[in-house]
């Protein structure tokens, strides 16, 4: 058979939620990328269905209208969780708990439920709106993957070679079952980077020879989407139910559906006496009825059901030579009872793709190692918490089942996503200088930069920055801070100067701006010569004055950059908001008379907290990451 050859910066294998999140990043950053999938269409029924507040924040950061806006227009909001426990001879409600994710660490989104297919469609609609965007290439099957190790260190090279082939009809099969009669010619895709988001049976992971470590238990659950016919009073509220006959978790869904997770029981240690293929929807309902006694349960419509075995498995590493990466179920699988799988999977690829963009743009590939460091740690914590949650459902009535709120507090912040904290790396400065034994051996020339968290006591290095209301200085519009931190690939410096009421502070801040836009400033050295000054690093000001007390346009240009085709960038200067009762300075623990500088990564995580006037330390931090090689400095444009 004949073959053709193509080149691409990023090849994404798998078009589930994690792959689509990667495609959204690639599209926003105008990266030369492709996404392929063996399936002929998106998911229609079943699969994952829970979305937590951090995931919605991320979705909101892409485009306008945002993906989150479309999701919220369809989803079922989870406002309350009811805990039902066994008392004498039946189940009774033991607690009603407010979900409250929108109150966590400056978030503004609730927990919602929506079928995976609709989530995928929201991403597809975003990609469709994005003009010259990425389109999914379906029925395309990967056959071979090869990494040229001699070229992995050359940032101009395309060292990863993937052979792909397309089905001639809609029949799907695994690569080893596809006959030549169903295939077209082989295409050889040469890529700078490859991301495998192709699920628990990942072809990419197997092609790399990576193994999943972990265990499968002898405990089995059914998951079922149905329109229930029931007299159970909390049928439209998320519930955890424990009885002597087993456990159930429910999640209300769109269109009158309810998701049921039903404990089926245990098999022998070998599992040979349990055949999931023999379990029917009626079998699941019969067991659910016993658990929910004395309440009735029936159904007329079942949208989807499946059976799974409880277990947790984790890959030993998430990357190969920092050229081929894995995300989502391709590297971590667990039970669905915590509702974290789709969220963590999307957050994996959200963590990665902007780093690939930065590595391509700057030639600094050292930042790519942080993906494995940061996301492997999250996955390990996920395994621990999922095991605890699985035990909670499998162990039957217990103290925890009657005190669910207290039990839930141990994992709520993590599952919501807002408490994920990345450890110090080149991308996140430590609080103190590393001791000698922690020196970066691979990058000995890089200077370690220390943060000063005492200047913003309520911000946590490595966590995503919370979002509070601020007032646009020029338009008087009250907006969430996150609205200025869109997923475009930009780094942001948030400057908190306090008040400009004293002439000395205003003049000193003007001097700071002039130093930032000077030819030898790190902002310039990290930006291609002919590109706008805010192409890589955006500078935002958040002050405490009344908006009419001073002329913001008299500040240096870097605080409100001018573009001939767009005029001033009026979305870079804000006043702390008082009309709505919020004070971002107080929320962040910043003393107005001292102020500070906060660096926010492209993924909204806090990277550095320092003295407002210390541009030397700030510059060293950025130059460690973004300093361009000479050939990159001379480029005429930049894709961010």
């Amino acid at each position: 058979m004949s073959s053709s050859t193509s080149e691409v910066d990023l090849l994404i294998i798998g078009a589930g939620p994690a792959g689509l999140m990667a495609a959204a990043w690639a599209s926003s950053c105008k990266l030369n990328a492709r996404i392929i999938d063996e399936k002929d269409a998106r998911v229609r029924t079943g699969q994952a269905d829970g979305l937590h507040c951090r995931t919605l924040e991320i979705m909101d950061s892409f485009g306008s209208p945002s993906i989150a806006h479309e999701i919220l227009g369809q989803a079922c909001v989870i406002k309350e969780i009811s805990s039902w426990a066994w008392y004498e001879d039946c189940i009774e409600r033991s607690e009603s708990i407010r979900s409250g994710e929108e109150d966590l660490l400056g978030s503004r989104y609730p927990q919602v439920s929506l079928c995976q297919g609709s989530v995928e469609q929201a991403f597809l609609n975003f990609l469709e709106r994005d003009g010259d965007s990425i389109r999914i290439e379906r029925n395309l099957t990967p056959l071979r993957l090869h990494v040229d190790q001699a070229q992995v260190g050359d940032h101009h090279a395309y060292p990863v070679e993937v052979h792909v082939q397309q089905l001639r009809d809609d029949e799907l099969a695994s690569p080893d079952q596809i006959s030549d009669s169903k295939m077209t010619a082989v295409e050889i895709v040469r890529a700078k980077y490859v991301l495998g988001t192709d699920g628990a049976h990942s072809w990419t992971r197997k092609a790399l020879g990576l193994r999943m470590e972990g265990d499968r238990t002898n405990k089995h659950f059914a998951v079922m989407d149905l329109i229930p016919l029931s007299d159970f009073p909390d049928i439209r509220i998320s519930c955890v139910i424990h009885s002597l006959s087993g456990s159930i978790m429910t999640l209300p869904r769109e269109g009158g559906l309810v998701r049921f997770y039903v404990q089926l029981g245990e098999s022998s240690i070998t599992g040979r006496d349990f055949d999931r293929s023999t379990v029917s929807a009626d079998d699941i309902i019969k067991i659910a009825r016993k658990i929910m006694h004395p309440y009735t349960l029936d159904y007329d419509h079942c949208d989807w059901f499946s059976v799974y075995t409880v277990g947790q498995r984790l890959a030993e590493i998430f990357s190969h030579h920092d050229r081929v990466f894995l995300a989502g179920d391709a590297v971590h699988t667990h039970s669905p009872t915590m509702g974290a799988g789709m969220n963590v999977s999307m957050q994996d690829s959200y963590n990665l793709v902007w780093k690939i963009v930065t590595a391509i743009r700057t030639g600094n590939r050292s930042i790519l190692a942080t993906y494995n460091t940061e996301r492997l740690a999250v996955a390990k914590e996920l395994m621990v918490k999922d095991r605890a949650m699985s035990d909670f459902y499998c162990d039957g009535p217990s103290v925890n089942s009657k005190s669910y709120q207290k039990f839930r507090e141990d994992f709520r912040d993590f599952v919501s996503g807002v408490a994920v904290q990345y450890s110090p790396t080149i991308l996140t400065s430590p609080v103190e200088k590393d001791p000698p034994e922690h020196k970066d051996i691979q990058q000995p020339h890089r200077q370690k930069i220390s943060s000063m968290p005492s200047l913003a006591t309520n911000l946590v290095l490595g966590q995503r920055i919370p979002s509070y209301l601020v007032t646009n200085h020029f338009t008087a519009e009250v907006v969430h801070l996150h609205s200025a931190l869109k997923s475009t690939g930009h780094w942001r410096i948030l400057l908190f100067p306090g008040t400009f009421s004293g002439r000395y502070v205003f003049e000193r801040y003007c001097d700071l701006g002039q130093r930032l836009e000077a030819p030898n400033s790190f902002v310039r050295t990290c930006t291609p010569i002919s590109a706008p000054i805010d192409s890589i690093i955006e500078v935002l000001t958040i002050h405490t004055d009344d908006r009419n007390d001073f002329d913001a346009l008299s500040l240096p240009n870097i605080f409100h950059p001018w573009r001939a085709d767009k005029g001033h960038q009026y979305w870079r200067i804000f006043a702390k908001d008082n009309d709505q009762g919020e004070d971002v300075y107080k929320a962040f623990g910043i003393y107005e008379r001292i102020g500070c500088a906060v660096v926010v990564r492209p993924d909204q995580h806090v990277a550095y907290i320092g003295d407002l006037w210390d541009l030397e330390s700030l510059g060293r931090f950025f130059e460690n990451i973004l300093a361009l090689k000479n050939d990159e400095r001379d480029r005429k444009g930049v894709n961010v």
Side-chain angles (χ1 to χ4, degrees), residues 355-367:
K355 298 176 181 178
I356 291 176
V357 173
T358 302
I360 290 173
R361 182 182 60 77
T362 65
N364 178 12
R365 295 188 60 255
S366 65
I367 68 170

Side-chain angles (χ1 to χ4, degrees), residues 348-484:
D348 282 348
S349 50
Y350 185 70
N351 175 280
L352 172 66
V353 177
W354 68 268
K355 298 176 181 178
I356 291 176
V357 173
T358 302
I360 290 173
R361 182 182 60 77
T362 65
N364 178 12
R365 295 188 60 255
S366 65
I367 68 170
L368 296 173
T370 64
Y371 171 69
N372 191 79
T373 301
E374 293 179 346
R375 296 310 297 177
L376 181 57
V378 171
K380 287 180 177 178
E381 186 171 359
L382 173 63
M383 295 297 110
V384 172
K385 293 186 181 301
D386 181 71
R387 188 171 291 110
M389 179 59 77
S390 296
D391 290 345
F392 169 75
Y393 281 104
C394 293
D395 290 348
S398 64
V399 173
N400 284 336
S401 68
K402 294 185 178 181
S403 302
Y404 180 65
Q405 183 168 7
K406 181 179 179 181
F407 175 76
R408 182 172 177 262
E409 290 298 320
D410 290 337
F411 64 86
R412 185 186 66 159
D413 289 1
F414 173 81
V415 172
S416 72
V418 300
V420 169
Q421 181 180 359
Y422 298 139
S423 59
T425 63
I426 186 177
L427 298 177
T428 305
S429 65
V431 174
E432 297 178 353
K433 291 186 177 180
D434 289 349
E437 61 269 24
H438 289 164
K439 285 184 178 178
D440 190 340
I441 298 174
Q442 293 181 326
Q443 302 290 338
H445 64 286
R446 297 191 184 280
Q447 294 179 303
K448 296 291 186 181
I449 310 302
S450 299
S451 282
M452 302 172 64
S454 60
L455 296 176
T457 55
N458 294 337
L459 292 182
V460 179
L461 284 161
Q463 275 188 3
R464 74 69 164 121
I465 192 168
S467 186
Y468 293 96
L469 293 174
V470 291
T471 302
N472 184 293
H473 182 95
F474 295 102
T475 69
E477 182 183 9
V478 177
V479 297
H480 263 277
L481 180 59
H482 277 191
S483 69

